[in-house]
Amino acid sequence: MHIDLDAFFASIEQRDHPEYQGRPLVVGAKPGKRGVVATCSYEARRYGVRSAMPISEAVRRLPPETVYLRPSMTRYGEVSRQIMQALEGISPAVEKVSVDEAFLDISGMQRLIGPPEVIGRRAKSVILEGVGLTASVGIGPNRLIAKLASDFRKPDGLTIVLADQVQAFLDPQPLTILRGLGAKSAPVLQRIGLRTVADVRRLSLLELRRHLGDLAGTKIHEQAHGIASDRVHLDSERKSISKETTFNEDITDPEIVRDTLHWAAQEVGYIARQEGRRGSIVTVKIRFQGFETHTRSRTLTTPTSTDKEIFQQAWELYQSEQWVGRPVRLVGLGVSGWASDAAKAAEQADLFDEITADHAPKQERLYQTMDAVSDKFGRKSVRFGVRRRKE
DNA sequence: TCTGGGGTCCTAGGACCC
DNA sequence: TCTGGGGTCCTAGGACCC
């Protein structure tokens, strides 16, 4: 089962401000500035406004009474948390895909709750009663079909696709609904005359691979036949932390680049430390006038989470290029490559060496040392570290 | 028309090692 | 003068998703 909140950010704003209800509302960039629409209310969609549309274009289309708001991510995150909690009351297997989307494994819930339709209605009602928002729900034999089913009827929809209905459900839909056919690869297939999923399904695996590449071709071939994973995973660990900003006007002063990297390093470092992570890859991202984008990354020998170290690495990366003087549109910075278990083990062994080297090899001392190491890394890993030393 | 911000994943070449 | 094959890591770019 896939659950997708309807116009999530916009709906929260309309819920919390009754005066906004029934009016076109846009959450996103400030009108007159650079940026795009994050989400807009259904009243705004009637004017053809969509997510990711440049804000300037949205302003051109929308009437003067439109409400424009900047996103309040902290508030939306809190509502999201409440929703996910409510969904856990239906099935313990909830996979949060984003702030407004989740998969639930409801196989085996039928005896407890009832047929799929009853489970779908239950999901919608716990969300409506819990946070006062509507969601669209899709139920299908795998993740792809559930996701496409929740998209099928919006807002406030409930679509159930049984296993023997999958092909009939997919075939007439435009090929762009398939995951991974975006702005570049969808036109590749459209240029050879394909329009619907049925058209794609008529192509052989070999032909699709030839047009899209081996991996993408295989994936699209599977999807067109309704084949996809039916697993609901636990939420996986994040792999990177990044911060970036686009300037209202392109800048040329390297001091502003420096200050921005400094700010981004503080933001990223703060989150990393809060989550107890240290990363060994620092990446700088620069977008010049005209949208030309470059990244430069560096792998450190010692993972870090300190603002100073992250900033230093980023600033060096920036300075090592012939970039100074070019008008800059965006500056960003990221950290990834978390210290692996092996790296942690090596590091703790080093710490152990360091501490033991400083002390007389008395048994009592050794125990104290092990306590010190275990305070830092946990009891289990100390045993691991000691064993490692014997090898 | 003029393109946010936060992510993940894939590709591809080169280095390096066995 | 000609130089395999496989695996892994590093780096840069880019497609795609929400």
Side-chain angles (χ1 to χ4, degrees), chain A residues 313-378:
Chain A
Q313 298 294 341
W315 181 234
E316 282 176 31
L317 279 166
Y318 172 75
Q319 286 182 307
S320 68
E321 300 288 332
Q322 264 64 58
W323 283 349
V324 176
R326 296 189 61 183
V328 173
R329 179 188 178 94
L330 171 151
V331 169
L333 175 163
V335 171
S336 56
W338 312 135
S340 68
D341 289 346
K344 272 182 188 157
E347 192 193 334
Q348 97 200 3
D350 287 347
L351 179 68
F352 194 89
D353 287 345
E354 195 181 301
I355 297 171
T356 49
D358 287 348
H359 299 295
K362 286 183 197 160
Q363 199 67 351
E364 195 187 340
R365 271 292 184 199
L366 181 66
Y367 287 138
Q368 279 178 20
T369 302
M370 287 180 67
D371 281 344
V373 176
S374 86
D375 283 348
K376 194 163 172 184
F377 292 102

Side-chain angles (χ1 to χ4, degrees), chain A residues 167-238:
Chain A
Q167 214 61 67
F169 171 71
L170 286 176
D171 276 353
Q173 299 204 56
L175 60 85
T176 49
I177 62 159
L178 299 180
R179 323 267 67 203
L181 289 184
K184 296 285 173 182
S185 48
V188 170
L189 299 184
Q190 286 161 341
R191 267 197 296 276
I192 58 171
L194 311 185
R195 295 290 176 269
T196 64
V197 177
D199 295 339
V200 176
R201 196 157 60 88
R202 278 192 279 273
L203 256 63
S204 70
L205 174 60
L206 236 60
E207 284 172 299
L208 276 170
R209 281 182 168 178
R210 195 156 46 79
H211 285 109
L212 302 174
D214 278 0
L215 206 129
T218 306
K219 279 186 179 168
I220 295 304
H221 186 260
E222 287 175 353
Q223 287 185 47
H225 288 79
I227 298 165
S229 164
D230 61 357
R231 298 297 166 88
V232 170
H233 312 105
L234 297 177
D235 294 335
S236 53
E237 194 190 8
R238 75 145 100 209

